[in-house]
Amino acid sequence: MIDVLASILQRVISIPAGIAAAASERVWLPRSVSTFAGDIDFAWDVVFWLSVFFFVLITLITVYFMFRYKRRTPDQEALPAPDHHLPIEIAWSVLPLGIVVVLFWQGFAQYVNMATPPQDTYEIQVSAMKWSWLFTYPNGAVTNELHVPIDTPIELVMTSSDVLHAFFVPEFRVKKDIVPGRYSNLWFEATEAGDYDLMCTEYCGKDHSAMLAKVTVHEPGGFEPWLKEESDYYNKGWSMEEIGEKLYNTRGCKTCHSVDGVNGTGPTFLGLYGIEHALVGGGTAVVDENYVRESILEPQATIVAGYDPVMPTYQGRLSEQDISALIAYLKSLGN
Ligand SMILES: [Cu+2]
C-alpha cells in the first residue's frame, strides 16, 4: 500500500520533468520514429487546430448572442427574425463540406500508403498469445522481443493463437488488430535506432496490461550480427538445460510459470518434475517426460486442479528438440 502511494507520488513529482522533456520534442505526441509519423502527425495537427478554431469561434459567438439578444424587460416582445438567409446557409454547407473532403483525402491517402507495403520488405512473422509475443525471422530464429534494422521496410505477418490482440508501437504510429485464425499485415520503416515500447491494445484477459515487449531498431550493420547470435541454439555448444532455460525465457512460458516456487497463472516449475498431483475432473498425474510433452502440445488434454485452462498450445511452435530441452530444464529444477 505504502509502496503504491510512494510510486504514485513519484510519478506525480516527475510530471513537470516529463512535460519539459516532451515539450522539447512534441507536446502531444510520442517521438516520431517511422516514415509514417510526419504525415500522420500533420493530419492530427490539422484536425486538432481546426477543432480548436471552431470551438473558440462558436463559444465566442454564443456568448455574444447571449448578451446581444437578451430579453431586457419581462414583457419585451420577440424581435422579428428572418426565417432563412440563403448566403449564410450556402456558406455553412459548402465550407464544412470542403474541409471534410480535404480531411478525407489526407486520411485516405495515408491509409492507402500504410496498407500497401512496398516491394522487397523484410518479413517477420508475429505470433501473439496470452500474454506474450513471438517473432520469427526468415532464417527461423525466434525471439520474444522485436528486432529490426534501421531504414528498412519491415512487413509483419501477424496471427494469434488464442484471442484478439493488437500490435501497437506509438513511436512508429502503427497499430493493427491480430485475429485468431487469420493473418493481418502491417508494415513500417524505422528511422532512428533505439528501444521502443510495443504493447497489446486489445483487452485480452487478466495480464493484458503486462503484454509488453521492446522493439529494438538496430544501427546499420547491427542487425545481422544480432540475428546470427540468436539463431540456432543447438550449434552453440550449450547444454540441453541451458537451451531449455533460454526457451523458457523467450517463448512465453515465463509469463505464467515462475521458477521461484510462487504459483502464478500456471504452477511454478520449481520442484514440479516428478511430483504427482490432482487433475480437474478427478484422477492424478505424475509429471514425467510424456506428461510435460502433452502439457506443451495439448494443454487442454489434462488440467491441473486449481488452474484455469488458459495455456496456449505450442503445437508447431516448438520442435521435438525444443520440448526435450524444456524437459531437461524442468528436470534441473525438479525436487
Ligand atoms: Cu493481448
Side-chain angles (χ1 to χ4, degrees):
M1 186 63 196
I2 298 286
D3 280 3
V4 174
L5 286 178
S7 85
I8 291 175
L9 196 66
Q10 214 169 22
R11 276 186 202 182
V12 171
I13 292 171
S14 68
I15 284 175
I19 291 177
S24 71
E25 306 230 328
R26 294 203 47 138
V27 179
W28 306 110
L29 298 169
R31 280 173 62 196
S32 317
V33 184
S34 81
T35 48
F36 297 142
D39 288 345
I40 289 180
D41 294 1
F42 174 73
W44 196 89
D45 282 343
V46 170
V47 173
F48 178 77
W49 289 113
L50 264 176
S51 310
V52 169
F53 174 76
F54 282 109
F55 172 73
V56 171
L57 182 74
I58 291 168
T59 308
L60 288 179
I61 293 176
T62 309
V63 170
Y64 170 72
F65 282 3
M66 262 166 58
F67 290 101
R68 174 71 182 75
Y69 298 106
K70 187 175 169 335
R71 184 166 67 171
R72 281 165 219 281
T73 55
D75 53 358
Q76 184 182 347
E77 293 280 320
L79 293 170
D83 53 16
H84 75 104
H85 187 291
L86 193 64
I88 291 186
E89 284 166 358
I90 289 177
W92 79 37
S93 306
V94 171
L95 257 167
L97 183 71
I99 293 173
V100 170
V101 167
V102 170
L103 292 182
F104 173 80
W105 166 71
Q106 253 291 320
F108 187 69
Q110 186 61 15
Y111 170 79
V112 170
N113 180 20
M114 295 181 80
T116 23
Q119 301 271 302
D120 305 325
T121 51
Y122 184 84
E123 194 175 301
I124 300 172
Q125 311 289 320
V126 179
S127 171
M129 69 187 103
K130 290 183 193 169
W131 290 283
S132 60
W133 302 89
L134 287 186
F135 303 99
T136 308
Y137 300 83
N139 71 348
V142 181
T143 61
N144 60 336
E145 312 276 12
L146 178 59
H147 288 250
V148 297
I150 193 170
D151 294 334
T152 310
I154 308 291
E155 183 169 1
L156 303 180
V157 180
M158 311 188 288
T159 191
S160 160
S161 50
D162 37 48
V163 297
L164 271 179
H165 299 280
F167 179 98
F168 181 36
V169 181
E171 279 85 355
F172 297 170
R173 313 283 192 271
V174 291
K175 185 172 181 178
K176 186 110 184 197
D177 275 10
I178 305 177
V179 186
R182 57 172 288 186
Y183 294 106
S184 26
N185 297 53
L186 178 155
W187 83 276
F188 61 86
E189 183 175 334
T191 53
E192 220 177 296
D195 287 343
Y196 307 98
D197 290 319
L198 184 176
M199 40 204 128
C200 176
T201 48
E202 192 68 66
Y203 180 67
C204 57
K206 181 171 80 63
D207 288 344
H208 160 69
S209 60
M211 193 168 157
L212 306 168
K214 280 258 174 294
V215 187
T216 302
V217 178
H218 286 273
E219 298 279 8
F223 179 72
E224 292 74 16
W226 169 85
L227 186 63
K228 195 149 183 269
E229 180 60 34
E230 277 305 314
S231 310
D232 203 3
Y233 300 152
Y234 297 93
N235 270 332
K236 291 192 187 314
W238 293 352
S239 69
M240 286 299 263
E241 281 162 30
E242 285 169 333
I243 295 174
E245 184 176 0
K246 182 86 183 165
L247 292 169
Y248 163 80
N249 281 311
T250 55
R251 301 302 166 88
C253 320
K254 198 168 69 172
T255 334
C256 300
H257 298 281
S258 79
V259 289
D260 61 5
V262 182
N263 291 320
T265 305
T268 180
F269 283 170
L270 187 70
L272 181 68
Y273 195 83
I275 64 166
E276 182 170 356
H277 56 53
L279 299 174
V280 167
T284 59
V286 177
V287 181
D288 59 11
E289 278 104 348
N290 282 316
Y291 176 82
V292 173
R293 185 172 178 280
E294 185 199 72
S295 295
I296 295 172
L297 296 177
E298 288 172 64
Q300 318 302 341
T302 53
I303 305 295
V304 186
Y307 293 93
D308 295 325
V310 294
M311 178 164 157
T313 171
Y314 282 85
Q315 190 100 48
R317 281 191 304 197
L318 289 172
S319 65
E320 287 298 335
Q321 220 176 1
D322 294 340
I323 293 172
S324 304
L326 279 164
I327 292 172
Y329 178 54
L330 274 179
K331 281 183 183 166
S332 75
L333 297 168
N335 305 314

